[in-house]
Amino acid sequence: MKKIGFFDTKPYDRIWFDKLKDKYGFEFKYFESKLNGDTAMMCNGLDGVVAFVNDVIDERTIDVLSGFGIKILALRCAGYNNVDFKAAFGKLHVVRVPAYSPHAVAEHAMALILTLNRKTHRAYMRTRDHNFSINGLTGFDMYGKTVGIIGTGKIGRVFADICKGFGMNVIAYDPFPAKDSGIEYVELEELFRMSDIISLHAPLTKETYHIINKDAIGIMKDGVYLVNTSRGALVDSEALLNAIRDGKVGGACLDVYEEESELFFEDYSNVVIKDDTLARLISMPNVIVTSHQAFLTDEALRNIAETTLENLKEFFDGKGLTNEVCYQCAKYGKCEKKENERCF
Ligand code: NAI
């Protein structure tokens, strides 16, 4: 029976893997800690490893895993910016879950915007305290406003449809526009200039790192809303904080944060957090932070568990790896697969 080690696990994802355990016949070992060069030492005796978004899969981690004879790492997420693919190539096959529910993330993005705009989080707190005043809760009609979407892949396109349902004007920027999507594509600068709301749905790459920075914010409309459910480092958090303080940015919805790996998914309610930028952002009345939970629906969790275990089964059955990523796939979107339909 193959032994699989899961890192950074929480009760809400374990239940879905446990439900499928008998079907796949693997033995599971759950670790609460994140995977990194130190915790990889716990993998001796395992046949495969499952990692998540904030695990550190750098050269050291890869060398430790491959030293234990482990040849398969299954990411139970779509993004893979936390993997050193150059170091992994030839040693560790990396598979991922390319899509589990674009609806979950797109719907969460809209939920955040509606909350920020109509201040339902504040109204909820007030009425619980029998405070029925509506002073300070004024929002704006979403109808007729322009939303700029950066990245129109699976999530960005679902989000575009949701926005169209609200009667919004949808414009988008993507270096690889979706054909026949009916989406109006514009240059990035134009998107910055025209949008009332900007929502990020692109992966973290060299090109998208700090795509929202001081200069970009400078050309945006006064009072623009920024929404990030993609990866934290697309936004220069210091620049965002300054722009919110100056009133240039009217509000921000952040499900991801560039320094999230040490904080998100954990309970620090009894601790003084040392990240002043995040603490100040959270303290702003027009900023809503959720801790990387946009994916968190039953449907997405079930799909993540199924695809992850199917990815592992393909590996152990000696089959081609449908969802493998290597440095070539990651950079160019495809690679010269070997005869056995694996990257190496
Ligand atoms: P996808 O791969 O289907 O689409 C990404 C799109 O971004 C593609 O159309 C691509 O051409 C575009 N893109 C690439 N470089 C770009 C650039 N420089 N500027 C603008 N667009 C660019 O990915 P999907 O499934 O739509 O996911 C998008 C991102 O959402 C993921 O990369 C991941 O980081 C994030 N995500 C966040 C989750 C959460 O819980 N908050 C859950 C799942 C994904």
Side-chain angles (χ1 to χ4, degrees), residues 52-53 77-81 96-102 105 108 149-157 173-178 185 188 200-208 211 228-231 234 255-256 265 292-296:
F52 197 42
V53 284
C77 51
Y80 43 72
N81 52 284
R96 66 171 184 139
V97 184
Y100 36 89
S101 175
V105 182
H108 189 75
I149 301 177
I150 299 181
T152 53
K154 293 176 282 298
I155 297 170
R157 286 206 298 278
Y173 169 75
D174 192 313
F176 306 99
Y185 285 95
L188 189 57
L200 301 171
H201 299 287
L204 176 59
T205 61
K206 273 192 204 129
E207 291 75 33
T208 60
I211 197 167
N228 190 6
T229 57
S230 57
R231 284 291 180 268
L234 268 71
D255 184 54
V256 286
F265 306 124
H292 208 139
Q293 70 168 79
F295 72 99
L296 198 63

Side-chain angles (χ1 to χ4, degrees), residues 86-129:
K86 283 264 182 204
F89 197 76
K91 292 180 182 166
L92 195 64
H93 291 279
V94 180
V95 287
R96 66 171 184 139
V97 184
Y100 36 89
S101 175
H103 305 281
V105 182
E107 287 170 14
H108 189 75
M110 184 49 88
L112 290 176
I113 296 168
L114 289 173
T115 307
L116 179 69
N117 177 20
R118 303 304 298 270
K119 300 160 183 70
T120 37
H121 57 311
R122 297 176 64 194
Y124 172 79
M125 298 307 289
R126 284 189 194 181
T127 53
R128 282 173 67 89
D129 201 26

